Amino acid sequence: MTERYAEIIVGLNQPKVDRIFSYRIPEDLVQVLKQGMVVEVPFGSGNRKTRGFVVGFTENCGTDPDKMKEIRKVLMDEPAFTERQLAVARWMQSWYDAPLGACLSLWVPRQVTRKPRKKNQDPVETPDLSPKLRLNEEQEKAARPVDDMLDLHLHRTFLLHGITGSGKTELYLQWIEHALALGRQAIVLVPEISLTPQLIDIFTQRFGHRVGVTHSRLTDAERAKLWRAARSSAIDVVIGPRSALFTPFPDPGLIILDEEHETTYKSEQSPRYHAAEVAEKMGQLWRIPVVLGSATPRVESFYKAEQGTYAYLHLTKRAVPGALLPETRIIDMREEMAAGNLSIFCTELKQAIHTRLARKEQTILFLNRKGYSTFVNCRSCGFVLKCPRCNLPYTWHKDRNLLICHHCGKEVRPVDTCPSCGSPYIKHFGTGTQRVEEEIRHMFPEAKVLRLDTSVIRGEETYRDVYEQFRDQEADILIGTQIVAKGFDFPGVTLVGVLSADMILYSEDYHSTERTFQLLTQVAGRAGRSEVRGEVLIQTYAPEHYAIQDAARHDYESFYKSECTARHLIGAPPFTHILQFLLTGENEERLIHLTDEFHALLVAYGAKRGFLIFDSAPASLERVNNVFRRRILVKLEDRERLMAFGTYCRDKFLERHPRARIQLDIDPMNLI
Ligand code: ADP
Ligand code: ZN
Ligand code: ZN
């Protein structure tokens, strides 16, 4: 009998090892070893022990059989991934140019192949389950096409476009119920699990213990437990961030992405995948529907719906009868300034807050973290205090009297005199949430004020605390950043003030207009979920911009049209694809040199073939922790050709400079 060898993919996230290795199978494993098993193998010259995935068997070892290494042991007695899961990983490998081992690792988290200590089962109460609602006519109409796909066991990707409060969540719940009735399981992705306690409550109230929740702070044991529970379908609904896509359900029936426009759906580490694309691929393989839900879909998604790639479902009315969209007004801050008002609040907003306090209604004040700065600069010479490691301005934290680099976390004490010119007029500038809070307390000493931003949040509990206090009307005013744009749907809130809408003015990324529109629409959705019609005031220095105008009018289609025109002009997605190369290195001069050489190579291979190749430039984060970063962007309409070109040139370049560090990111959500 000829000897059989195992074909192994090592679970290392390194491009260089992205191929199949053959290993000898020890005697005692010959009968045991199956495709899909996870094993421990010696790897590399040092025979370091490494996790490996068995993807097949061969009789041809390719090298001298005597030199072959042998599998050390099996880490789990049964296969850890299926043929179909392997197919998803293989697809991701080529679609995102990522090592297969890294893609497979998504299906088999490290924790499940370790032996976690067994913990005693926590006793859990059975919640009272809440009944489903009767769908309104619009919901009914939107529900049917997805129900049909569930019944037919066929794939289709749906874009569920529904204004805030139109009852998208209720639709998710009923589709899931349908999938469960068919004996299948459901995956629900949310942008950020810690910011969606109310959504989790709604799901557990409907499905009880059949729901599992994943998030980044699970312990190893909890993660392993959830993984096993899903495999055995002890749970059959999972809610979690994008990684929850890789929940090993035996027979998934439905995948939902809530708030599909959120940037957290794109992974910023290899594999740099977008959850919507992977969900669609999985939908095709499992022959099941995929639903992307949002009040403000990505331009790319709406475009696909327009082209017929996605099926379009539209909810135009709020589900609760009588709940009106808020009245939204734009305030031109330049006029306020001209009229002598130098405060960060326009006169109208002050008045409106005053009225709410008198009526015992609640106010949310929204501050765009990116739009407002809290940097420290010198009024004499303009010098800005920056982190020496990242070359980014420090943020001043008044409560701890520290300057903190929000990128690498470096902390330093503030200075009294300018390090550059010695002037004493060094000023802690800008308007963080803290300063807004101070001004509010000063103007309205009787008001109870809460603040919520990332510096306040030290975990889910703080968020929940603030959330519950505000919900229970223990405070009059909530001041917050992006965090309050979601979830704070309380009937007591009748006023939302946006302190600065001008994110567009602060970013070079072509997404920033869209982000501004999405954020404003979302924030505006917080007001008036009750009988009292809400009011939204938007302060801006760019009142004529369509992103602000259309958000104020709640007019997605109009925004979409203007944005498409703009993107067409600059050749941005959805009319093209963008491949972003990031080159990094400790020595700036050498990095510039290498990047230029790589650029020349791209031009040599691509310029005459229709590829649009931009000059190399410092990344917007030029330096992180003393590592310099430069980027090159390449555009082309054909995604597959673009990717093939990118990997080809990268490989050519690495032959010449094996130690160069280059990352590829296709259609990045953030230009770096
Ligand atoms: P969305 O997810 O679109 O923002 P939600 O699903 O949160 O909207 O619905 C908003 C509110 O409308 C919720 O309080 C929900 O309970 C209610 N609702 C949804 N569908 C119905 C319905 N068919 N009948 C009555 N109320 C509904
Ligand atoms: Zn100075
Ligand atoms: Zn830093």
Side-chain angles (χ1 to χ4, degrees):
M1 198 181 88
T2 46
E3 193 168 2
R4 234 168 44 124
Y5 304 99
E7 294 182 318
I8 304 270
I9 296 285
V10 292
L12 299 172
N13 199 349
Q14 292 166 12
K16 275 177 227 149
V17 301
D18 191 17
R19 60 182 188 84
I20 290 173
F21 296 92
S22 304
Y23 278 84
R24 190 189 290 281
I25 307 169
E27 202 69 46
D28 57 327
L29 290 183
V30 168
Q31 300 298 322
V32 178
L33 204 65
K34 294 196 190 76
Q35 182 183 324
M37 280 189 168
V38 185
V39 292
E40 188 183 299
V41 292
F43 189 73
S45 48
N47 279 337
R48 194 151 65 90
K49 63 176 183 182
T50 300
R51 210 160 74 127
F53 303 102
V54 181
V55 294
F57 296 93
T58 178
E59 288 177 2
N60 182 357
C61 71
T63 58
D64 179 358
D66 294 335
K67 290 209 184 112
M68 277 191 86
K69 294 179 186 175
E70 194 170 81
I71 291 175
R72 287 221 178 105
K73 61 178 177 201
V74 169
L75 292 173
M76 249 175 86
D77 305 339
E78 37 180 352
F81 57 90
T82 64
E83 194 70 48
R84 245 186 230 162
Q85 290 166 347
L86 176 61
V88 174
R90 283 222 160 95
W91 176 81
M92 289 177 79
Q93 175 191 24
S94 67
W95 196 247
Y96 298 110
D97 178 49
L100 183 56
C103 300
L104 265 176
S105 294
L106 294 168
W107 285 111
V108 191
R110 205 149 267 292
Q111 296 86 350
V112 305
T113 47
R114 284 199 214 114
K115 292 254 174 324
R117 259 178 294 144
K118 281 226 160 61
K119 238 180 56 188
N120 285 338
Q121 199 92 3
D122 301 326
V124 274
E125 299 163 35
T126 310
D128 292 331
L129 299 190
S130 65
K132 63 177 176 188
L133 301 172
R134 229 186 103 101
L135 296 183
N136 62 38
E137 213 173 299
E138 224 179 28
Q139 284 171 314
E140 194 77 60
K141 194 165 155 237
R144 216 165 301 135
V146 179
D147 283 326
D148 288 346
M149 291 299 116
L150 281 165
D151 285 329
L152 294 167
H153 210 319
L154 286 176
H155 168 68
R156 191 93 174 88
T157 299
F158 294 90
L159 177 63
L160 173 61
H161 179 202
I163 60 167
T164 35
S166 57
K168 295 187 288 298
T169 311
E170 184 60 31
L171 281 177
Y172 301 156
L173 292 165
Q174 301 207 6
W175 286 325
I176 293 167
E177 201 173 314
H178 187 170
L180 300 194
L182 293 166
R184 297 183 211 136
Q185 302 86 36
I187 296 171
V188 182
L189 302 189
V190 292
E192 233 167 313
I193 200 82
S194 63
L195 306 185
T196 39
Q198 57 281 42
L199 193 76
I200 293 163
D201 290 348
I202 291 171
F203 273 77
T204 38
Q205 277 157 21
R206 193 67 62 91
F207 300 113
H209 299 315
R210 305 177 76 171
V211 179
V213 180
T214 75
H215 52 80
S216 56
R217 285 184 306 280
L218 287 183
T219 63
D220 286 1
E222 285 168 335
R223 195 171 300 278
K225 190 175 147 199
L226 198 83
W227 191 82
R228 278 171 223 287
R231 248 163 88 96
S232 63
S233 56
I235 55 166
D236 35 27
V237 180
V238 78
I239 308 181
R242 62 168 187 265
S243 59
L245 256 187
F246 306 98
T247 303
F249 281 134
D251 190 13
L254 172 68
I255 305 172
I256 294 167
L257 271 80
D258 189 29
E259 312 279 10
E260 70 90 30
H261 60 276
E262 288 291 336
T263 53
T264 49
Y265 285 127
K266 177 82 162 55
S267 170
E268 304 224 303
Q269 287 156 20
S270 171
R272 294 182 177 75
Y273 67 94
H274 195 293
E277 288 177 336
V278 181
E280 192 175 350
K281 188 69 205 172
M282 286 167 62
Q284 288 163 7
L285 288 169
W286 272 266
R287 294 189 296 122
I288 59 172
V290 172
V291 178
L292 314 177
S294 176
T296 51
R298 282 175 295 158
V299 170
E300 287 88 334
S301 302
F302 199 82
Y303 182 77
K304 282 187 184 162
E306 228 180 14
Q307 303 284 306
T309 314
Y310 293 165
Y312 184 64
L313 310 171
H314 200 188
L315 300 178
T316 61
K317 294 193 256 311
R318 290 200 153 183
V320 174
L324 295 168
L325 283 171
E327 186 193 336
T328 306
R329 256 166 311 132
I330 299 169
I331 314 285
D332 188 341
M333 289 305 274
R334 295 170 305 191
E335 285 174 13
E336 288 287 317
M337 185 88 93
N341 177 13
L342 298 178
S343 154
I344 46 175
F345 301 97
C346 67
T347 316
E348 207 175 337
L349 183 54
K350 278 186 214 165
Q351 188 51 47
I353 297 173
H354 196 78
T355 312
R356 293 317 181 290
L357 288 173
R359 283 203 233 134
K360 302 240 168 294
E361 293 169 7
Q362 290 173 295
T363 298
I364 292 180
L365 293 176
F366 175 79
L367 186 87
N368 192 342
R369 187 163 33 91
K370 284 200 180 120
Y372 273 76
S373 45
T374 47
F375 56 87
V376 176
N377 92 345
C378 169
R379 290 188 142 183
S380 304
C381 76
F383 180 81
V384 175
L385 272 181
K386 289 180 179 174
C387 167
R389 294 202 293 228
C390 309
N391 201 31
L392 287 171
Y394 284 116
T395 300
W396 182 47
H397 285 246
K398 190 181 178 215
D399 44 358
R400 300 169 61 203
N401 195 30
L402 278 178
L403 300 174
I404 302 178
C405 170
H406 276 201
H407 207 76
C408 74
K410 187 175 166 65
E411 300 182 351
V412 293
R413 293 249 153 250
V415 292
D416 302 324
T417 53
C418 171
S420 174
C421 75
S423 154
Y425 297 107
I426 184 124
K427 177 102 171 107
H428 302 141
F429 236 91
T431 314
T433 48
Q434 293 183 26
R435 166 136 177 245
V436 175
E437 183 179 350
E438 263 167 40
E439 290 217 8
I440 285 285
R441 287 191 194 280
H442 185 74
M443 280 190 290
F444 307 105
E446 73 284 10
K448 279 191 237 81
V449 183
L450 286 173
R451 178 162 66 91
L452 194 62
D453 58 35
T454 35
S455 72
V456 174
I457 291 195
R458 304 235 187 274
E460 204 175 323
E461 279 121 65
T462 331
Y463 179 89
R464 246 193 200 263
D465 262 10
V466 173
Y467 174 82
E468 280 165 11
Q469 280 182 52
F470 199 61
R471 180 194 61 197
D472 301 340
Q473 311 213 355
E474 286 164 23
D476 308 300
I477 300 173
L478 172 68
I479 301 163
T481 53
Q482 267 84 336
I483 300 170
V484 303
K486 269 167 251 156
F488 282 75
D489 304 330
F490 306 130
V493 180
T494 60
L495 172 67
V496 170
V498 179
L499 294 178
S500 167
D502 301 339
M503 191 162 152
I504 357 170
L505 307 174
Y506 294 87
S507 174
E508 54 173 347
D509 191 329
Y510 73 89
H511 290 103
S512 54
T513 309
E514 178 178 29
R515 302 267 153 79
T516 301
F517 174 80
Q518 288 166 345
L519 209 54
L520 291 178
T521 308
Q522 262 191 354
V523 174
R526 296 313 99 186
R529 290 217 166 185
S530 63
E531 312 77 49
V532 189
R533 186 163 188 208
E535 188 181 8
V536 177
L537 296 176
I538 299 175
Q539 303 189 154
T540 173
Y541 288 90
E544 64 291 329
H545 198 287
Y546 63 85
I548 293 171
Q549 291 277 341
D550 291 334
R553 284 200 305 262
H554 309 280
D555 192 342
Y556 179 88
E557 273 84 354
S558 165
F559 165 77
Y560 173 76
K561 284 207 186 85
S562 306
E563 183 62 8
C564 274
T565 310
R567 296 224 189 155
H568 207 272
L569 265 174
I570 59 167
F575 305 103
T576 184
H577 290 277
I578 297 182
L579 182 58
Q580 175 171 262
F581 293 98
L582 178 70
L583 288 89
T584 54
E586 279 82 17
N587 180 326
E588 187 175 21
E589 216 171 299
R590 174 156 170 75
L591 178 68
I592 292 174
H593 185 80
L594 270 180
T595 312
D596 287 346
E597 192 182 322
F598 184 56
H599 182 262
L601 187 143
L602 291 172
V603 171
Y605 282 109
K608 292 216 181 75
R609 297 190 172 87
F611 294 90
L612 192 56
I613 300 156
F614 289 74
D615 282 342
S616 88
S620 27
L621 292 173
E622 268 188 76
R623 185 168 68 192
V624 176
N625 230 338
N626 283 331
V627 174
F628 292 89
R629 299 148 52 89
R630 291 183 74 80
R631 74 162 183 231
I632 299 175
L633 300 178
V634 181
K635 289 184 186 175
L636 193 76
E637 273 171 49
D638 183 335
R639 188 198 186 282
E640 270 159 89
R641 263 189 73 207
L642 179 58
M643 201 64 185
F645 170 72
T647 51
Y648 178 80
C649 292
R650 188 260 329 264
D651 293 345
K652 277 269 164 247
F653 192 67
L654 286 179
E655 277 171 24
R656 246 187 270 166
H657 300 284
R659 290 169 58 198
R661 292 199 301 260
I662 310 182
Q663 292 171 9
L664 277 71
D665 192 353
I666 183 97
D667 294 334
M669 290 290 263
N670 297 303
L671 296 186
I672 43 179

